[in-house]
Each structure stands twice: as structure tokens, then as C-alpha cells.
Amino acid sequence: MGERSRVDTTSAEDKSIGFDYQYYYFLNELLNLKSGQVAGLEVLDDVHVERPDGTNLLVQLKHTVQTSAQGVPINLTTLDSDLWKSISNWCKLIIDPADGRAPVNSQLAFLKKTSFLLASNKSENHKNALLISVEAFKSAAKSHAELVADIKSLKAKSKDLVIQGYIDDVLSLDNAVSERFFQHLSFALGKDEIINLCKASIAEKQIHQSRIDDVFSAVDSEVRQNSFATVKAGSKITISFDEFNQKYRRHFDKARSGSLLFREFPPVLPDNLSDQTFIRQLVDINDIAANSIEFHTKFTTRRLHFRDNLERLIQDGEITQSDIDALEEEAAIMWEGKFLQTYSGQPAAVDEDTAARAILGDLRSRKLTLASQELPLSMSNGGFYDLSDRPVIGWLSNWEDRYK
């Protein structure tokens, strides 16, 4: 049973992670754009960068899910199909007659303004004969003729007809063209933690460590949505430095502003929503029905959103316990004022349900303040729900006797 099934062998997972790898490489390029530059996704190549001097960097991306015994991505080997296929693709691009590059002088003109980068999560391999030879050529330790001789020798060692064909594409280049191509060829290997690279690029924009994930999530989400809309509209995904600043700068500005950031945490709802004290209080004044799961869930989510954000903010050092104490005191004063106004001096026959709902309705319209920042209304509601759950406040005149 060691063989993989047909479903496994044709799984889209490898392709999916390869596409994600390509996208996040593109996102990292966007985060590192300089003035006058433009980055593209699947336009001139897997990813490309246009520079203001008219030159272009073309990037081929190769991702593997295969790992070594040490649990790291496998090495890029000398006769690796990914290696030679990428180089073959570029050689065909250089001489492409459809773009008017059949003449050698046109090929040389194209290479004058184009450089090539093979990026992969495959590990660097100090035994890769091609990479060693190319590096020696670029450092002038080898002549171009010696580099070509090395490539011919590698072809002779390969028994794979497809790889031999790729190598033939390289060897068929005009000598002057081949020499310039290898001068402009580079490799970036071992780029496995591509998302961490994106986050490091965000950190380099003077974003505090506690805000990096927020910026990454916001920019990642918006770039994905905008890219989808661009392709759907029949356009190509290219973003300039100025466009990136215009569309996404607000996420960086917000993170640097010092304002508190409130995250949407997936709520971990209690097993029995109706057992919560604050829900019992709402049910007892006929604000919500005992079986209204929709409102039980909605109000519990708001309470947890408030509580989870306060816990996260204090853990990150964004606020202190005294800030929380001040918020709770402010909320208690709001409640106290309305509570006393409603019940003090009222006859015993007062309709308590109506009176209690009036107190609750007033507080639901008020916004709380945390560390001098006004909270959104839904989060403020969550704060009052949290206080009534503990319970620190209540709606009926005898709430302390009933719920404490």
C-alpha cells in the first residue's frame, strides 16, 4: 500500500502552494518597491520588476513540498528539471521571433535591459556544478568558453531527454548572447519562509513589532482582492510604487499612529449561551427571548470581542490595567446615573421591565473610551454586556440580589 493513489498524484495542493508562493514573493516585491519602480504578477514572467532606468528584472519561481531527512526543502541539484526548464524558458524568450528578436543584435539589445532571477525555496547546494560554474564565470574566474564546456559536459551526464532538450536551448544561443545572458543571471535559493520575509519587509518600514501582523493581514487581504478584481476585469496585475502608496499606505499610517487596533478574533462561544449572567439579565427584562439563539450569539460575540481585545492589548503593552480600570469606572458612572434617575423616588408599582429596558437602551447608545480612544459602538455594547455578566451592573432594581 506504499503507492500513492491517482487522486493523490493529481492533487492540486502542490500547484496551489506554488501559486501562493508566487503571490507572496510578489507581495514582498511590492513591499520593497522604490520610487519609479513597477512590480507585476504573471505579466512579463512569474514576477517582474520594472526599474525607472528602463531595465527589467524577470523572476521565475519554483517551489517544492519535498523535504530532506532534516525536514528542510530539498536541494537544487545540478540536473534539476526546475533549474534547466527556467533557463530554457528564458533562452526561448531572448530569441522569440514574435517579439522581433530573431536577429542577434535585437537579442543583445533585449539583454542590455533585462536581468533574470531564479528564486526557489529549494536549498542552496554547494555541489551544484552549474551554479558553481556560473558564479566562477561572473567573477571572471572562468571564461565564457569554459562555462559552455561545463554545460556540454553536464548534458553528456544526463540521461533525461527532456533535460537534454532544455540544455540544447541554452547551447543554441549565439556566443555573444549567451555570454551576456549568463552575466545577467542570478539565483535566490532557500527562500522558504516567504511570509516571514514579507513581515520583515513591513518591519523595515518602522512598524512596531506588535503591529506587524495587523499590517500584513490588512495589506495581504486587500492586495489579493484587488488582484482578483483586476484579472476579472481583463487587466494585468501591475502596481507601481506610487499606486501601492496610494492604495495601501493608510494601513502603515494607521499602525504608526499610536491608535489602538482592534482585531476580529474568532469567538470561542460558551457551550450554553443562555447560562451567561448577562444573557439571563436580558431575558429577565424581556429584552430578548429565552430561545433567541441569534441574539444570544450576536451579543455574546460582542462581549467576547471586547474582552479578547482588552486582553490582547494589555499583553502587547498597548494599554495598562489602569486604562481598563478607568474604562470600567466610566461605564459604571454612566450606568449609575441612568439607574438612579430611573429608580430613585419611583413608586413600587413602577413597570420594572420597561424601566430596565430604558436603562439598557440608553447605555447601548453610548461609546466607551479606552486610553483616550473612543471605542466602536458594538465594542462599547460588549463592554456593558461584560460588566453585567460579572455582574458589576444590572438592569432591574434588585439585580444584585438576583444575580450576585
Side-chain angles (χ1 to χ4, degrees):
M1 297 297 292
E3 295 183 7
R4 298 179 69 194
S5 70
R6 182 62 182 169
V7 172
D8 288 335
T9 58
T10 58
S11 170
E13 290 177 0
D14 290 2
K15 291 182 180 179
S16 175
I17 195 172
F19 178 79
D20 286 340
Y21 183 77
Q22 180 175 303
Y23 162 77
Y24 282 117
Y25 190 96
F26 169 67
L27 180 60
N28 193 51
E29 289 296 326
L30 291 179
L31 291 166
N32 288 283
L33 282 177
K34 302 294 188 293
S35 180
Q37 292 186 341
V38 176
L41 177 64
E42 293 191 319
V43 180
L44 301 182
D45 214 321
D46 290 344
V47 172
H48 81 273
V49 177
E50 303 169 32
R51 305 184 181 103
D53 63 359
T55 61
N56 295 327
L57 170 66
L58 305 186
V59 185
Q60 287 266 316
L61 294 153
K62 300 299 180 183
H63 185 276
T64 183
V65 295
Q66 294 179 278
T67 57
S68 67
Q70 290 73 39
V72 298
I74 59 172
N75 288 338
L76 186 73
T77 59
T78 299
L79 293 173
D80 194 306
S81 178
D82 282 345
L83 171 62
W84 289 102
K85 184 177 181 180
S86 294
I87 295 175
S88 168
N89 286 340
W90 283 322
C91 290
K92 290 175 180 176
L93 176 67
I94 291 167
I95 65 172
D96 189 0
D99 282 332
R101 288 195 291 273
V104 168
N105 61 340
S106 297
Q107 297 168 19
L108 292 171
F110 175 71
L111 287 169
K112 188 175 182 180
K113 61 178 184 179
T114 310
S115 53
F116 309 86
L117 175 68
L118 174 60
S120 176
N121 71 323
K122 290 186 176 181
S123 301
E124 291 193 49
N125 184 0
H126 298 297
K127 296 181 180 180
N128 188 311
L130 177 67
L131 270 58
I132 293 171
S133 189
V134 170
E135 185 59 35
F137 164 70
K138 292 180 69 174
S139 65
K142 275 191 176 184
S143 66
H144 177 254
E146 289 173 316
L147 170 60
V148 171
D150 288 344
I151 294 173
K152 289 179 178 177
S153 175
L154 293 176
K155 179 189 173 184
K157 294 177 181 178
S158 175
K159 294 181 173 59
D160 189 314
L161 295 179
V162 174
I163 292 177
Q164 288 179 8
Y166 292 152
I167 297 176
D168 282 336
D169 292 331
V170 180
L171 294 173
S172 66
L173 290 177
D174 173 86
N175 272 339
V177 172
S178 174
E179 184 169 6
R180 185 166 293 178
F181 167 64
F182 282 107
Q183 287 170 345
H184 290 193
L185 175 64
S186 300
F187 302 92
L189 304 178
K191 304 293 184 182
D192 191 43
E193 300 297 331
I194 191 67
I195 290 178
N196 287 343
L197 288 177
C198 292
K199 292 182 179 181
S201 296
I202 291 171
E204 290 171 0
K205 295 183 181 296
Q206 290 76 50
I207 301 299
H208 190 271
Q209 186 67 33
S210 66
R211 303 291 181 94
I212 291 174
D213 285 346
D214 297 294
V215 176
F216 173 77
S217 296
V219 174
D220 175 27
S221 175
E222 200 165 328
V223 169
R224 278 188 181 274
Q225 291 180 54
N226 291 341
S227 297
F228 177 81
T230 298
V231 173
K232 187 177 179 182
S235 301
K236 296 184 182 300
I237 302 172
T238 58
I239 301 176
S240 69
F241 173 83
D242 290 337
E243 289 170 335
F244 186 80
N245 272 359
Q246 181 183 5
K247 290 182 178 179
Y248 308 104
R249 185 187 67 242
R250 67 183 183 276
H251 299 301
F252 296 88
D253 291 344
K254 186 178 178 181
R256 296 191 196 98
S257 69
S259 299
L260 301 176
L261 297 177
F262 305 120
R263 298 186 178 119
E264 291 293 337
F265 297 99
V268 181
L269 298 173
D271 292 335
N272 196 332
L273 297 174
S274 61
D275 281 349
Q276 298 173 96
T277 300
F278 93 97
I279 292 291
R280 288 167 50 213
Q281 291 212 55
L282 296 178
V283 170
D284 287 348
I285 64 172
N286 293 311
D287 178 67
I288 55 175
N291 60 353
S292 181
I293 300 302
E294 178 185 354
F295 281 111
H296 292 194
T297 301
K298 182 184 295 185
F299 293 165
T300 300
T301 298
R302 288 176 186 168
R303 181 179 75 82
L304 294 176
H305 178 61
F306 170 81
R307 178 51 51 194
D308 291 344
N309 269 282
L310 260 59
E311 290 176 358
R312 191 270 305 174
L313 288 168
I314 201 166
Q315 286 173 4
D316 289 348
E318 299 281 338
I319 61 173
T320 64
Q321 184 59 48
S322 63
D323 292 319
I324 297 177
D325 293 342
L327 176 145
E328 293 186 355
E329 182 179 4
E330 176 188 40
I333 291 172
M334 289 180 183
W335 165 81
E336 181 182 64
K338 190 64 180 176
F339 185 86
L340 292 175
Q341 179 187 18
T342 300
Y343 291 116
S344 294
Q346 295 294 327
V350 67
D351 181 351
E352 284 221 9
D353 285 2
T354 301
R357 289 196 299 271
I359 299 171
L360 174 63
D362 177 77
L363 295 183
R364 277 177 172 161
S365 66
R366 301 201 190 194
K367 291 185 177 181
L368 296 173
T369 301
L370 177 64
S372 301
Q373 182 172 326
E374 193 175 72
L375 301 184
L377 194 58
S378 63
M379 193 169 173
S380 296
N381 280 192
F384 287 113
Y385 295 151
D386 193 64
L387 289 173
S388 64
D389 191 66
R390 284 151 60 176
V392 177
I393 61 176
W395 319 119
L396 293 167
S397 61
N398 65 342
W399 66 273
E400 290 185 271
D401 295 332
R402 297 182 66 160
Y403 307 111
K404 276 197 170 184

